[in-house]
């Protein structure tokens, strides 16, 4: 496994690999790897000759009062895990390498970013779209792997790729969960032991919604209310949002129909956690 | 010469050419070709195996009260001129092909777009950056050719290419002028015979500034005042802006130093014309 820090070097490596006819899979991450990330690597290794993982905590996708500074980092541990999983290249640029002082460009995907995390975190998805486009241009992958946990991010990336006529294939990968259902996240490390217990309520609330829909409930506000009650019964919880959207268009719905994405963001203490589930109404 | 209307077809053609080891030069235009465009083609043909020209009047770079609808178009004439000049492929997509109904992405270059044409035409350079990035992703050129007449556009494209880590080389090409100095522009067709005479004042005013600087004048407001007087003496003129900026950073200057870009936009009747000159102070 090779660690690459410079953009130009990464570009030249990929150019050489492409000339040799190799296919390149790409797993963009902010590091502090968990099973979710490693599952993306496994998908990539199945489908490509070479797997490139980026590890870059992207400052421009964090708001001024968010957790950029305290976001967990452990590059040595990440390196061990990535190598064990068979990653071929880690791209690990500095902030200055990615955003030199005179950096001025922003990529925005409109409309689908006006709700959910985009509403709670203004500018977040501009930062995501901009860095992912840069990474795509640097790594030039045939396929890129994103976890379904960040469902809105996935929708933004897919829309950007389509709108900007990029050639990369976006592969959504299923959410990886702890035994008790908590979605894997680097931010789970923020949780105290007590908070960790409360955190299971995100997935439980999503399952409650699923069950209600399976029993025939169609009214979103009824389901939301039941979810809210369940979540607020737990200690340390504060709901950021619970949203029901059409899984294709990302438009907010009030009546359950077809494939519905149910997504939520809940603060457990200071940790803001997200989760989601796709339910198909009969 | 082949005319291509579909994005996917254009991509496949270029992919094949690249596999054959051919270099691709790209001349993006809005059609209604003049000598300025054709000079770009000549530069491209000197430096590349294949030259692709796009002809696309890009709606998203026009403001709601601008001339999108009446912008001059004559595809048959353009085709003849391009073919004569040795263009290999014309990419001529429909608006729907470039912007399907669910299109949602905007590329913005900040700061350098806050002045000059960016100030007079809000959103204009977002439209330019977005379409040029799309075209670059479709045509995948080794080199792309832009006229220095649109100096701010050139600065925006160069910044975008740098910021987004694109591999295309941007080649700025000198302004082509009529015998009396008027910069070639598709919009010159808007001018009546009388207005056409007044229109020479853009270049004359730029030369006045140049002469003043060569004689040692450093104060921008003094030079601007002389230019304004000269322009307003002509019939049908209305000044949109006259701006002096550092040719590298695009920052507005009040004292002439180093390489200075002097740029102006003047309405001659209903036609908004732009021109510029780079002057180096001793």
């Amino acid at each position: 496994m090779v660690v690459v820090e410079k953009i130009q070097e990464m570009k030249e490596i990929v150019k050489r690999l492409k000339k040799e006819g190799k296919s390149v899979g790409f797993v963009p991450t902010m590091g502090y790897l968990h099973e979710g990330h490693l599952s993306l690597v496994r998908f990539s290794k199945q489908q490509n000759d070479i797997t490139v993982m980026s590890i870059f905590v992207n400052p421009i996708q964090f708001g001024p009062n968010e957790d950029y500074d305290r976001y967990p980092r452990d590059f040595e541990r990440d390196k061990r895990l990535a190598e064990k999983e068979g990653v071929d290249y880690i791209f690990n640029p500095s902030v200055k390498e990615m955003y030199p002082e005179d950096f001025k460009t922003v990529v925005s995907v409109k409309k689908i970013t006006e709700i959910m995390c985009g509403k709670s975190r203004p500018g977040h998805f501009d930062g995501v779209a901009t860095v992912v486009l840069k990474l795509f241009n640097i790594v030039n992958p045939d396929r890129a792997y994103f976890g379904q946990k960040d469902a809105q991010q996935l929708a933004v990336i897919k829309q950007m790729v389509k709108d900007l006529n990029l050639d990369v294939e976006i592969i959504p990968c299923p959410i990886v969960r702890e035994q008790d259902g908590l979605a894997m996240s680097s931010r789970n490390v923020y949780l105290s032991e007590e908070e960790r217990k409360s955190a299971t309520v995100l997935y439980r609330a999503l399952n409650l919604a699923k069950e209600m829909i399976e029993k025939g409930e169609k009214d979103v506000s009824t389901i939301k209310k039941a979810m809210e009650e369940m979540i607020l019964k737990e200690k340390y919880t504060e709901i950021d949002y619970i949203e029901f959207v059409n899984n294709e268009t990302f438009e907010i719905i009030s009546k359950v129909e077809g494939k519905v994405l149910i997504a939520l963001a809940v603060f457990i203490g200071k940790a803001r956690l997200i989760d989601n589930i796709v339910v198909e109404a009969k």
Side-chain angles (χ1 to χ4, degrees), chain A:
Chain A
M1 191 182 68
V2 179
V3 176
V4 180
E5 293 180 352
K6 295 295 173 191
I7 290 169
Q8 202 46 46
E9 195 191 339
M10 191 71 245
K11 282 192 171 208
E12 278 159 20
I13 288 169
V14 174
K15 212 168 279 173
R16 181 171 51 71
L17 292 167
K18 288 289 177 85
K19 257 196 193 140
E20 293 167 5
K22 301 265 171 63
S23 62
V24 174
F26 179 44
V27 179
T29 83
M30 300 209 297
Y32 213 74
L33 303 178
H34 53 63
E35 272 299 310
H37 300 113
L38 301 179
S39 77
L40 304 180
V41 172
R42 284 170 215 136
F43 282 112
S44 173
K45 288 191 66 71
Q46 278 171 25
Q47 300 184 316
N48 304 279
D49 300 319
I50 299 289
T51 292
V52 179
M53 170 187 277
S54 64
I55 297 185
F56 179 63
V57 184
N58 175 38
I60 67 167
Q61 74 185 66
F62 289 81
N65 297 314
E66 291 183 358
D67 57 346
Y68 174 68
D69 285 332
R70 64 188 185 108
Y71 194 87
R73 294 158 168 94
D74 189 342
F75 188 62
E76 290 309 315
R77 179 174 163 277
D78 288 346
K79 239 168 40 178
R80 279 197 307 276
L81 290 169
E83 175 137 44
K84 202 174 147 200
E85 214 55 66
V87 167
D88 298 289
Y89 296 89
I90 291 184
F91 180 52
N92 179 230
S94 69
V95 171
K96 214 179 147 187
E97 177 76 2
M98 289 293 275
Y99 304 113
E101 245 179 64
D102 69 339
F103 189 86
K104 292 182 181 70
T105 302
V106 178
V107 181
S108 290
V109 177
K110 306 295 180 191
K111 282 183 188 162
I112 55 175
T113 54
E114 288 166 7
I115 58 170
M116 294 166 45
C117 291
K119 194 175 173 184
S120 307
R121 307 181 66 187
H124 170 65
F125 286 118
D126 288 0
V128 169
T130 304
V131 79
V132 170
L133 183 56
K134 281 173 67 71
L135 290 169
F136 283 177
N137 288 336
I138 294 162
V139 176
N140 190 17
D142 297 280
R143 297 174 196 83
Y145 298 80
F146 291 86
Q148 174 67 29
K149 193 193 67 142
D150 300 292
Q152 195 174 12
Q153 168 175 286
L154 188 57
V156 167
I157 302 298
K158 278 160 82 178
Q159 185 73 44
M160 176 183 79
V161 164
K162 180 169 178 279
D163 287 352
L164 296 181
N165 312 106
L166 301 174
D167 273 325
V168 56
E169 189 184 349
I170 303 301
I171 315 275
C173 301
I175 299 176
V176 178
R177 299 181 179 281
E178 304 284 356
Q179 289 227 325
D180 61 4
L182 178 66
M184 299 256 184
S185 165
S186 305
R187 287 186 171 101
N188 291 348
V189 75
Y190 294 151
L191 300 170
S192 71
E193 208 176 312
E194 285 281 287
E195 288 167 345
R196 175 64 187 78
K197 285 175 197 161
S198 292
T200 58
V201 78
L202 278 82
Y203 189 51
R204 283 188 282 123
L206 291 170
N207 275 309
L208 171 64
K210 190 177 172 219
E211 284 161 26
M212 288 175 79
I213 291 167
E214 281 168 356
K215 280 179 190 156
E217 183 59 62
K218 303 259 181 223
D219 183 55
V220 167
S221 62
T222 305
I223 306 170
K224 259 195 194 180
K225 212 175 156 189
M227 294 171 77
E228 279 167 9
E229 269 174 30
M230 178 184 267
I231 293 166
L232 294 177
K233 229 183 265 170
E234 292 294 328
K235 278 184 203 161
Y236 317 111
T237 57
E238 191 192 321
I239 296 169
D240 181 8
Y241 68 77
I242 302 175
E243 211 66 90
F244 287 56
V245 301
N246 179 305
N247 192 46
E248 292 306 310
T249 64
F250 246 74
E251 279 164 336
I252 291 175
I253 57 167
S254 57
K255 197 169 165 270
V256 175
E257 247 177 341
K259 271 195 179 177
V260 176
L261 175 81
I262 311 175
L264 43 68
V266 178
F267 283 94
I268 309 286
K270 283 184 181 172
R272 182 178 174 282
L273 303 182
I274 62 174
D275 201 351
N276 68 78
I277 197 172
V278 178
V279 180
E280 188 157 9
K282 286 153 211 165

